[in-house]
């Protein structure tokens, strides 16, 4: 395994993170690191603990022992909301509130949240011209500007997935975490999602779980392989593809 030296470049680290659900041990000791600017994919078989890992990092779950470090700070005891404020954002599932709004309203609400102005009602938002401009720009980056005034729940599924990413980006994450952003999309739509992510500023670090190896090998610059409660390898896509051990545990097809 490639040893990553401790450095100020590390955005995320887990140190000896141990996790179990009752008697089911998910991670014995997970030591993982992520550098600033990486487009980092997590791959591995079903049930390997990929989603659990993201939940531990974002605070939805608490590890039994060990630590989660974000930008050099121990965040293990912070709530999910506190971690969002610190700059760690996972994609939202479109919820019932947002389904009844249009994408522009949803993004403006997320921007108001970020600016600590969530108490303003949408009626007063008209005065916040710069926020509306920023919301339209974000929608434009993800090809949703023409859908700004459409009913969210009436949007095609692919556009709803793009909107989830836009809502996360509205919070200006330093680290964006995506759990299978292309799930349920066509091959072409999956590539569109990743092509748009590829255009984000380099300082936005992206950690994504993905089963589609074409997407992983096209867009990741580091790939981590999870299997049987352990990090098997964290390396360049090329080295991961060549690794006999990885082929054995996952890419055997
Ligand atoms: N809340 C929970 N309570 C009990 N067991 C859980 C819980 N969440 C996940 N598990 C179990 O933990 C293991 C890891 O699940 P997880 O969802 O993290 O896997 P995954 O790698 O994301 O899989 P997939 O590729 O199918 O999404 C599985 O055996 C799962 O059944
Ligand atoms: Mg999962």
């Amino acid at each position: 395994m490639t040893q990553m030296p401790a450095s100020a470049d590390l955005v995320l680290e887990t140190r000896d993170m141990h996790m179990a659900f009752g008697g089911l041990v998910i991670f014995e000791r997970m030591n993982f690191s992520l550098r600033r600017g990486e487009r980092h994919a997590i791959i591995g078989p079903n049930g390997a603990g990929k989603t659990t890992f993201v939940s531990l990092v974002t605070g939805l779950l608490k590890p039994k022992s060990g630590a989660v470090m974000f930008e050099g700070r121990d965040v293990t005891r912070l709530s999910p909301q506190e971690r969002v404020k610190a700059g760690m954002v996972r994609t939202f599932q479109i919820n019932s509130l947002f389904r009844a709004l249009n994408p522009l309203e949803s993004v403006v609400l997320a921007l108001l949240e970020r600016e600590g102005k969530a108490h303003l009602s949408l009626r007063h938002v008209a005065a916040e011209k710069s926020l509306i401009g920023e919301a339209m720009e974000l929608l434009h980056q993800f090809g949703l500007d023409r859908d700004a005034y459409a009913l969210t729940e009436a949007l095609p599924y692919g556009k709803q997935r793009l909107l989830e990413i836009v809502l996360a980006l509205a919070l200006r994450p330093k680290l964006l975490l995506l759990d299978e952003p292309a799930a349920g999309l066509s091959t072409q739509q999956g590539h569109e999602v990743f092509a748009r992510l590829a255009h984000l500023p380099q300082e936005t670090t992206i950690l994504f779980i993905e089963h589609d190896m074409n997407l992983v090998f096209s867009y990741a610059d580091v790939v981590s392989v999870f299997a049987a409660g352990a990090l098997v390898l964290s390396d360049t896509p090329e080295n991961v593809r060549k690794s006999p051990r990885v082929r054995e545990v996952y890419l055997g097809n």
Side-chain angles (χ1 to χ4, degrees):
M1 192 186 122
T2 313
Q3 283 299 318
M4 307 272 188
S7 103
D9 265 7
L10 289 186
V11 171
L12 178 74
E13 245 188 304
T14 65
R15 295 185 180 165
D16 288 337
M17 190 169 68
H18 178 81
M19 184 59 188
F21 293 111
L24 178 67
V25 175
I26 306 297
F27 303 122
E28 201 56 64
R29 276 164 167 265
M30 176 55 79
N31 287 291
F32 177 93
S33 51
L34 180 67
R35 286 162 178 271
R36 191 172 311 283
E38 276 179 4
R39 271 65 173 134
H40 192 129
I42 296 179
I43 65 172
N46 294 117
K50 304 179 297 295
T51 296
T52 302
F53 180 80
V54 168
S55 298
L56 288 164
V57 165
T58 54
L60 225 59
L61 292 171
K62 294 267 184 270
K64 300 296 172 200
S65 60
V68 179
M69 310 290 294
F70 181 61
E71 303 208 298
R73 171 184 174 206
D74 188 337
V75 296
T76 320
R77 274 162 207 84
L78 296 191
S79 68
Q81 293 76 9
E82 288 168 320
R83 295 186 206 200
V84 169
K85 284 216 169 67
M88 197 192 264
V89 181
R90 163 186 207 161
T91 36
F92 293 82
Q93 294 289 322
I94 301 283
N95 62 33
S96 51
L97 170 69
F98 286 175
R99 287 179 66 82
L101 298 179
N102 68 44
L104 179 59
E105 290 166 333
S106 303
V107 178
V108 167
L109 278 182
L111 294 175
L112 287 169
E113 179 69 35
R114 184 194 77 203
E115 301 291 312
K117 295 178 177 170
H119 58 282
L120 287 183
S121 76
L122 277 177
R123 220 172 306 152
H124 295 107
V125 164
E128 304 279 333
K129 290 270 186 296
S130 64
L131 288 187
I132 294 171
E134 185 180 347
M136 283 306 285
E137 175 55 32
L138 275 168
L139 289 168
H140 172 71
Q141 278 174 32
F142 282 79
L144 294 171
D145 38 345
R146 288 191 184 173
D147 303 296
Y149 298 98
L151 190 62
T152 297
E153 66 184 0
L155 288 179
Y157 182 69
K159 289 192 170 176
Q160 293 194 10
R161 302 286 336 234
L162 285 168
L163 181 58
E164 285 172 16
I165 296 173
V166 169
L167 290 172
L169 288 171
L171 300 178
R172 256 187 223 155
K174 294 174 183 157
L175 170 59
L176 177 65
L177 300 110
L178 306 163
D179 190 352
E180 302 194 34
L185 301 185
S186 69
T187 307
Q188 192 196 334
Q189 287 173 319
H191 275 282
E192 187 193 340
V193 168
F194 277 93
R196 294 191 188 272
L197 289 169
H199 282 105
L200 291 176
Q202 191 62 41
E203 66 267 17
T204 310
T205 308
I206 304 175
L207 182 63
F208 64 96
I209 299 172
E210 187 51 65
H211 279 288
D212 180 331
M213 288 307 116
N214 284 324
L215 294 173
V216 169
F217 290 118
S218 304
Y219 295 102
D221 45 29
V222 183
V223 179
S224 287
V225 186
F226 284 26
L231 178 60
V232 177
L233 182 70
S234 193
D235 210 332
T236 60
E238 196 184 320
N239 287 343
V240 164
R241 207 200 289 260
K242 284 193 305 209
S243 158
R245 174 91 184 101
V246 171
R247 285 185 175 276
E248 193 183 310
V249 297
Y250 188 53
L251 297 177
N253 37 25

